[in-house]
Amino acid sequence: MSAALLAPASNSAWGGWEPPVEATTLVAASHGTNSPAGQAAIAALVAAVARARPGTRVEPAFVDVQQPDVGAVLRAAGGRPRIVPLLLSAGFHTRHDLAGEAAAAPGTSLARALGPDPRLAAVLELRLREAGLRRGDRVILACAGSTDARGVRDCRITADLLASRLERPVEAAFVSAASPSLEDALGAAAARSARRWSRGGRTVVATYLLAPGHFAARVAGCGADVVSRPLLVPGEAVPSELVELVLERFDTL
């Protein structure tokens, strides 16, 4: 039996010791999108995870917009499913929506969100290099945003991880629900450049979004000098770091 598939053991009500329990189905729960490109990108990630773990049942599910919803997938899964949020931070959807679905389905466990994690910073760096990042560029990390303080904190941790890789400051900014907004961060960067009479440095936005969609389109049109692509790009190979991260979340609660 693979120790990687074991949930933590727990004490029973009578004080004895219950053995660890294997998760039997990986429920890959993403937000959902109306974007065909975003749908294709997420589907490619789920397919790559299934190929990498042929002995595990892998089922896609969606919090909103798309079907099947998480509850329907859990009802059909049987056994002991484990929800892996295909979400980048521990925001409202993870801590409330998915936690509620898990609590309503006996035998279901919930893994933590994908981020923060150094592997996400590695993919962000890859996308920035693809976009032509230069030595003197200023970098802003564009995040979806959350009303959950822990989700905002997770994004700021990712900004710090990316800053360490790039060896330059990285500021987290948000498309919605949190401060600073991406627009405000871009305005502040422009003001700093004007005060310093800077001519060489550009403002580069790193898109910290899993796939194309509404928020990615807003980031792409934000007016920065350069905007990198999302972590997943439809029609291109899924980064191995993302597949590894999804499976690690499934294996370890």
Side-chain angles (χ1 to χ4, degrees):
M1 179 182 296
S2 172
L5 294 178
L6 299 182
S10 61
N11 288 317
S12 71
W14 51 268
W17 186 257
E18 295 180 352
V21 176
E22 283 193 15
T24 55
T25 302
L26 190 164
V27 179
S30 59
H31 181 275
T33 178
N34 286 319
S35 164
Q39 292 175 5
I42 295 296
L45 173 58
V46 175
V49 169
R51 287 194 301 271
R53 188 66 65 80
T56 298
R57 181 179 173 186
V58 179
E59 297 288 347
F62 303 94
V63 176
D64 197 4
V65 183
Q66 290 178 254
Q67 294 294 321
D69 61 53
V70 176
V73 172
L74 292 177
R75 287 190 294 273
R80 295 172 297 276
R82 179 166 300 156
I83 303 170
V84 177
L86 302 187
L87 302 169
L88 297 177
S89 62
F92 183 87
H93 288 310
T94 302
R95 296 183 57 247
H96 295 272
D97 294 337
L98 295 180
E101 295 286 5
T108 300
S109 53
L110 174 62
R112 73 180 184 87
L114 300 183
D117 190 275
R119 285 162 288 195
L120 295 175
V123 180
L124 285 166
E125 181 184 13
L126 169 66
R127 296 290 181 239
L128 286 169
R129 301 296 181 195
E130 291 172 346
L133 184 69
R134 299 175 186 169
R135 182 185 297 270
D137 290 340
R138 298 169 295 277
V139 178
I140 295 173
L141 183 71
C143 313
S146 176
T147 56
D148 188 302
R150 278 179 264 195
V152 173
R153 179 202 61 191
D154 286 350
C155 291
R156 292 190 170 127
I157 292 172
T158 299
D160 291 341
L161 291 170
L162 182 59
S164 296
R165 292 189 67 91
L166 299 178
E167 298 182 331
R168 72 185 79 185
V170 174
E171 178 185 9
F174 303 90
V175 178
S176 69
S179 297
S181 69
L182 180 56
E183 292 79 6
D184 287 347
L186 288 168
R192 287 194 297 269
S193 294
R195 286 197 300 270
R196 296 171 183 172
W197 298 283
S198 173
R199 297 183 179 180
R202 305 174 301 173
T203 299
V204 176
V205 169
T207 302
Y208 188 45
L209 298 167
L210 193 58
H214 175 68
F215 280 177
R218 289 181 60 180
V219 174
C222 70
D225 296 309
V226 177
V227 178
S228 69
R229 299 185 295 175
L231 302 179
L232 292 169
V233 178
E236 297 188 10
V238 174
S240 60
E241 293 92 341
L242 296 182
V243 176
E244 178 184 302
L245 187 52
V246 171
L247 289 172
E248 183 177 292
R249 293 293 183 263
F250 177 66
D251 292 342
T252 309
L253 284 177

